[in-house]
Amino acid sequence: MARILCIETSGLTCSAAICDDKGNVISDTIISDTGEHAKLLTTAISNVANNANTPISELSAIAVSCGPGSYTGLRIGVSTAKGICYAQNLPLIAIPTLQIIATSIFEHQKDASIAVPMIDARRMEVYCAAYDRELTEIIPTQAKIIDENSFSDLRNKKNIHIAGSGAKKCLSTLGNNNISFIDDILPQAKEMSKLAALKFENKEFVDVAYYEPYYLKEYVAVVSKNKVLEQALKR
């Protein structure tokens, strides 16, 4: 039976899991909630491989959470996944981070008819999408500034659940207008298992050489005021 390693590093939490080709989780771990992915991801992978009695050489594919999310976190996760794929000649599976959160919403909220996964961006901006129970995207992935009119076209529907790192800050703006807010659902590797197994079955692989994370927005480095002043004085 095939074994798939799942890697999730899109936010502060670093997690890994091994599942079979039916989507059953064999081993999983969450090893970091401090953003120290570069230091701890390989430990997480080693832990799940040992617990599943599955050497890296016996894996069938690698699945990685591909974004949107933290620029640094995504690069660490994808580069690690690609490195293993290169070394072991394995196919690479890319799974949208928002879809992972949506899967978790439907798994834990059996009455949910629409899932709106949300990743905190900055100020009142979030990365979000909306899915039905078949995980069909009914609102495409986008960067959105949340205001009182956001998701107005969904509010006449029942059992809408918003979850993810961006959910809590939207509560005061959106209110309870037919919407339930869940602030303790974050993307985790174990929630990738069914999605990874389906893509593996359908051979939905990405090019290991050229694949890049889905950042949604370009990375912009923030330069401190002191650094700007220092650079100005050197001119």
Side-chain angles (χ1 to χ4, degrees), residues 9 15 20 31 43 64 82 88 96 126 133 140 143-144 153-154 156 172-173 175 196 203 205 216-217 220 228 235:
T9 57
S15 60
D20 63 24
I31 201 167
T43 301
V64 66
K82 290 172 73 170
Q88 302 297 327
V126 297
R133 289 202 71 89
K144 188 176 185 66
D153 53 338
L154 295 181
N156 61 340
S172 60
T173 301
K203 294 182 169 53
F205 306 134
L216 188 57
K217 295 179 70 175
V220 178
V228 172
R235 294 174 183 172

Side-chain angles (χ1 to χ4, degrees), residues 13 30-31 48-49 66 78 81 90 108-109 111 114 117 132 135 144 158 161 190-191 196 198 211 215-216 228 234:
T13 300
I30 301 174
I31 201 167
V48 294
C66 64
V78 170
L90 297 175
H108 295 92
Q109 304 295 324
D111 64 333
I114 295 176
D132 62 19
L135 289 181
K144 188 176 185 66
K158 293 183 178 180
H161 287 68
K190 65 180 180 180
E191 303 293 353
L198 182 60
Y211 187 74
Y215 298 120
L216 188 57
V228 172
K234 289 180 178 179

Side-chain angles (χ1 to χ4, degrees), residues 86-117:
Y86 269 122
Q88 302 297 327
N89 193 28
L90 297 175
L92 177 63
I93 299 169
I95 301 179
T97 306
L98 292 172
Q99 197 174 60
I100 298 168
I101 300 173
T103 299
S104 186
I105 293 172
F106 289 129
E107 181 69 24
H108 295 92
Q109 304 295 324
K110 301 303 183 184
D111 64 333
S113 61
I114 295 176
V116 183

Side-chain angles (χ1 to χ4, degrees), residues 147-234:
D147 60 32
E148 62 275 8
N149 297 314
S150 297
F151 308 110
S152 57
D153 53 338
L154 295 181
R155 293 181 189 178
N156 61 340
K157 303 181 185 299
K158 293 183 178 180
N159 299 324
I160 303 165
H161 287 68
I162 292 178
S165 60
K168 188 173 183 179
K169 73 178 184 181
C170 298
L171 176 59
S172 60
T173 301
L174 296 178
N176 291 316
N177 295 297
N178 224 14
I179 298 174
S180 296
F181 291 84
I182 314 165
D183 60 7
D184 60 349
I185 290 182
L186 299 174
Q188 295 183 28
K190 65 180 180 180
E191 303 293 353
M192 299 167 61
S193 58
K194 289 182 171 58
L195 297 168
L198 182 60
K199 284 180 176 285
F200 181 78
E201 179 182 3
N202 295 332
K203 294 182 169 53
E204 295 180 38
F205 306 134
V206 296
D207 190 299
V208 176
Y210 296 103
Y211 187 74
E212 292 291 334
Y214 178 44
Y215 298 120
L216 188 57
K217 295 179 70 175
E218 290 186 10
Y219 175 70
V220 178
V222 177
V223 181
S224 70
K225 291 181 179 179
N226 289 340
K227 189 69 174 179
V228 172
L229 179 60
E230 179 182 328
Q231 291 173 348
L233 290 174
K234 289 180 178 179

Side-chain angles (χ1 to χ4, degrees), residues 9 35 37 69-77 215 219:
T9 57
H37 302 342
S70 158
Y71 181 90
T72 302
L74 291 172
R75 287 192 67 83
I76 291 168
Y215 298 120
Y219 175 70

